[in-house]
Amino acid sequence: EPAVAIAITSADCLPLLLYQKETMIAVIHLGWQGVYQGLLENAIEQLRKGHAKAPIIAALMPSNKSHNYQISQEFYHRFTSHKATNKQFFTKAHWHQGYYFYDLPGHVIKTLKKLGISQIWSSRIDTYSNPKYCFSYRRNTHLNYQGLATHLAFIMFNAKA
């Protein structure tokens, strides 16, 4: 059988690659809205429908890290009123009153662990603070740059491997 590859584009959101041993692959584009709406939980549930016992391996690709993911108080209250346990993924921006920093990768890792996934790899690359290697929509907005670009994350599966 031929190999199958799937890909996803992102700028500052988190591309998540999932591999379910010998059965399936998936890619998920996770931003705050997807996390808020339970996209990750739904994707894992779908992966496990046919192969509940097969282990899942997760890889978090480069994304905006918490020290560069500043959000408003409204966003913070929306998230923490949805689930009180979400407070652990926010820290106050001390120099900018009414703002917080959101730890998207930390939130995704904690959710994966809660879902029973223990094999997790996470990139330490922050898209915002690496202009030489990464595009960042957020950084370009702050610099008033109008260009648009994205990153491509992909995973390939070969059933005969």
Side-chain angles (χ1 to χ4, degrees), residues 59-79:
L60 287 74
M61 304 312 287
S63 65
N64 221 355
K65 304 300 184 230
S66 62
H67 58 279
N68 284 317
Y69 201 152
Q70 185 173 298
I71 52 91
S72 69
Q73 194 164 11
E74 177 188 339
F75 175 102
Y76 170 79
H77 288 304
R78 183 180 194 186
F79 244 80

Side-chain angles (χ1 to χ4, degrees), residues 35 40-41 89 106-117:
V35 172
L40 178 55
E41 293 89 339
F89 306 111
H107 198 163
V108 170
I109 289 169
K110 185 87 168 190
T111 303
L112 287 166
K113 288 179 179 179
K114 184 179 172 186
L115 294 168
I117 297 171

Side-chain angles (χ1 to χ4, degrees), residues 11-82:
D12 291 316
C13 291
L14 195 152
L16 178 66
L17 308 179
L18 299 170
Y19 168 69
Q20 190 172 29
K21 193 169 183 177
E22 299 177 8
T23 61
M24 202 169 304
I25 55 174
V27 293
I28 306 170
H29 180 272
L30 286 170
W32 70 265
Q33 288 183 31
V35 172
Y36 181 83
Q37 294 170 354
L39 179 64
L40 178 55
E41 293 89 339
N42 185 51
I44 298 301
E45 180 184 326
Q46 294 301 316
L47 278 174
R48 287 185 169 148
K49 273 190 175 179
H51 307 277
K53 293 183 181 181
I56 296 172
I57 300 169
L60 287 74
M61 304 312 287
S63 65
N64 221 355
K65 304 300 184 230
S66 62
H67 58 279
N68 284 317
Y69 201 152
Q70 185 173 298
I71 52 91
S72 69
Q73 194 164 11
E74 177 188 339
F75 175 102
Y76 170 79
H77 288 304
R78 183 180 194 186
F79 244 80
T80 56
S81 64
H82 180 65

